[in-house]
């Protein structure tokens, strides 16, 4: 190497005691989540009641389901997941991974619905979103993350639809 040449090295940051190639996407996602009104926390400092929307980093799911890069809590109940990928990753196809996460929430944790209705895949530059309440739920390009209030409105509207349907069913 000539002394005047600068070698470019992609840094590998360590998060939670382990090296994570998706850290850049996670750092950008942290910024976007905070801008949208989410409180972003590590597992060790998480308080699901700290804010209307809380995003918990590197959340361990049931055995065989891995770790969600973020688990989203709305009003103290789990509502969705985010899978962060490095910039340049094609996000179509990552839905399979985030879909596995949305079904892996431990049974002992509070949730609005099972499986979790909301999934994001993001590089921190590009984001895709799936709303499990849509009849034909599949991911769509989206600019950023929805606000916790938006998720809460969808969650309570869906809850009301289910309660109304149950009330109108004829007794057996």
């Amino acid at each position: 190497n000539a002394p005047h040449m600068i070698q470019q090295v992609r840094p590998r940051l360590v998060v939670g005691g382990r090296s994570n190639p998706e850290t850049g996407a996670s750092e950008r996602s942290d910024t976007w989540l905070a801008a949208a009104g989410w409180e972003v926390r590590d597992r060790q400092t998480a308080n699901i009641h700290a804010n209307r929307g809380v995003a918990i980093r590197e959340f361990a799911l049931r055995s065989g389901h891995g770790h969600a890069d973020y688990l989203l809590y709305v009003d103290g109940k789990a509502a969705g997941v985010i899978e962060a990928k490095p910039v340049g990753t094609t996000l179509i196809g990552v839905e399979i991974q985030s879909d596995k996460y949305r079904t892996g929430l431990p049974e002992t944790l509070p949730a609005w619905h099972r499986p979790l209705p909301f999934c994001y895949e993001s590089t921190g530059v590009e984001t895709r979103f799936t709303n499990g309440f849509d009849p034909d739920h599949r991911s769509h390009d989206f600019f950023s993350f929805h606000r916790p209030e938006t998720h809460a409105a969808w969650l309570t509207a869906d809850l009301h639809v289910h309660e109304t349907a149950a009330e109108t069913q004829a007794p057996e």
Side-chain angles (χ1 to χ4, degrees):
N1 288 340
H4 65 280
M5 301 286 289
I6 298 174
Q7 182 180 9
Q8 293 202 3
V9 177
R10 181 177 163 188
R12 288 185 60 90
L13 300 175
V14 176
V15 174
R18 62 183 176 171
S19 179
N20 183 349
E22 297 166 353
T23 298
S26 294
E27 288 172 349
R28 286 184 294 280
S29 294
D30 281 3
T31 301
W32 282 18
L33 284 162
W38 294 87
E39 176 136 345
V40 182
R41 292 284 179 192
D42 291 323
R43 289 178 309 225
Q44 298 81 0
T45 61
N47 173 355
I48 61 174
H49 301 287
N51 193 20
R52 180 151 213 194
V54 177
I56 302 174
R57 294 183 199 101
E58 289 295 314
F59 196 92
L61 300 168
R62 285 193 331 248
S63 179
H65 291 267
H67 288 74
D69 289 318
Y70 297 87
L71 180 63
L72 302 177
Y73 274 85
V74 175
D75 295 332
K77 296 179 186 176
V81 295
I82 299 173
E83 174 57 23
K85 291 294 184 189
V87 173
T89 300
T90 302
L91 293 177
I92 294 177
V94 176
E95 298 168 50
I96 295 166
Q97 187 175 1
S98 57
D99 191 60
K100 181 172 86 168
Y101 296 158
R102 69 187 280 266
T103 62
L105 186 69
E107 293 296 325
T108 58
L109 299 178
W112 284 94
H113 294 275
R114 291 176 193 275
L116 301 175
F118 308 125
C119 291
Y120 293 90
E121 298 85 30
S122 183
T123 64
V125 173
E126 176 189 6
T127 300
R128 295 189 64 82
F129 171 69
T130 303
N131 183 340
F133 295 138
D134 288 343
D136 179 28
H137 58 275
R138 55 191 169 90
S139 72
H140 300 278
D141 285 326
F142 197 75
F143 178 71
S144 186
F145 299 112
H146 296 94
R147 298 187 58 77
E149 295 82 4
T150 303
H151 284 286
W154 288 334
L155 290 161
T156 55
D158 184 70
L159 186 60
H160 177 69
V161 166
H162 286 293
E163 287 173 352
T164 303
E167 291 169 5
T168 59
Q169 288 180 347
E172 294 180 14

